[in-house]
Amino acid sequence: MHTFWNRANAVFAFMLSVLAAATFAAFLSTAITNYTTSVKIAVSNPRLKDISDYTTDGARSDIAMLAMDLDIDVAPIYNWNVKQLFLYLVAEYKTTKNEMNQVVLWDKIIMRDEWSKIHEVKMFPKYYFTDDGNGLLGHKNVSLTLRWNVIPNAGYLRQVMGEGEAQVEFPSKYITGRF
């Protein structure tokens, strides 16, 4: 009456339905989990340099360098549905040219079986901290925040901001020579 292929198709369709329901149940079990934790960020020795900006007609831009201390325990973030974390440190500030400036200074991917505490001392930005003009010179309110994306086994990608930030005051004079 029913061929082998009809029966195999029915079993396969039922198996996919059960797996989809199990995946959805796995997502629901961690849907309301709080993934925030406290972060300690400290900044020392902020310096500015004036560089040529070759993208515009002879304009100058600011480039900043600073030393950062970062301390976070990511163990409370992990549960059975977290595959990895993508952490990134963001500098946010406002200038007359732009209402909102966001610059990623540092990032790190932490897999599930790696260490759970991050304690970095006197680290430098992984990426250049530049402004498209002279908006950093004498700026008194640049905030550094640590954010992370939670990459799950099942469910959606979460974007979380850590509890704690650091405020940076940049000097009103440029340095000469090398950083």
Side-chain angles (χ1 to χ4, degrees), residues 27 29 43 45 49 95 114 129-130 133-134 151 165 167 171:
F27 158 69
S29 70
V43 177
N45 197 14
K49 195 168 181 178
T95 60
E114 291 182 6
F129 187 4
T130 59
N134 300 97
I151 292 98
E165 65 178 27
Q167 299 292 68

Side-chain angles (χ1 to χ4, degrees), residues 60-158:
R60 307 288 286 175
S61 292
D62 290 343
I63 184 167
M65 181 60 71
L66 43 98
M68 304 170 289
D69 297 341
L70 182 65
D71 193 18
I72 180 173
D73 183 14
V74 295
I77 299 171
Y78 278 100
N79 58 37
W80 69 271
N81 195 25
V82 176
K83 188 187 303 183
Q84 69 183 23
L85 296 174
F86 176 70
L87 283 78
Y88 53 101
L89 187 67
V90 177
E92 290 183 356
Y93 59 99
K94 184 191 298 188
T95 60
T96 56
K97 198 174 195 180
N98 298 314
E99 184 67 27
M100 170 72 87
N101 294 290
Q102 291 182 325
V103 180
V104 175
L105 301 178
W106 173 87
D107 64 6
K108 186 172 198 66
I109 296 173
I110 300 178
M111 302 298 287
R112 180 178 193 77
D113 297 330
E114 291 182 6
W115 59 88
S116 63
K117 289 189 180 195
I118 298 173
H119 183 72
E120 298 280 345
V121 178
K122 301 291 184 204
M123 70 175 186
F124 294 105
K126 189 174 178 181
Y127 307 107
Y128 288 117
F129 187 4
T130 59
D131 183 59
D132 59 344
N134 300 97
L136 291 176
L137 185 65
H139 202 293
K140 302 293 184 202
N141 194 18
V142 176
S143 63
L144 299 181
T145 56
L146 186 70
R147 301 174 184 197
W148 52 88
N149 293 343
V150 179
I151 292 98
N153 291 314
Y156 59 90
L157 180 77
R158 297 175 191 264

Side-chain angles (χ1 to χ4, degrees), residues 24-44:
F24 185 69
F27 158 69
L28 283 180
S29 70
T30 59
I32 59 171
T33 304
N34 184 11
Y35 289 104
T36 61
T37 188
S38 65
V39 177
K40 292 183 183 116
I41 305 169
V43 177
S44 61

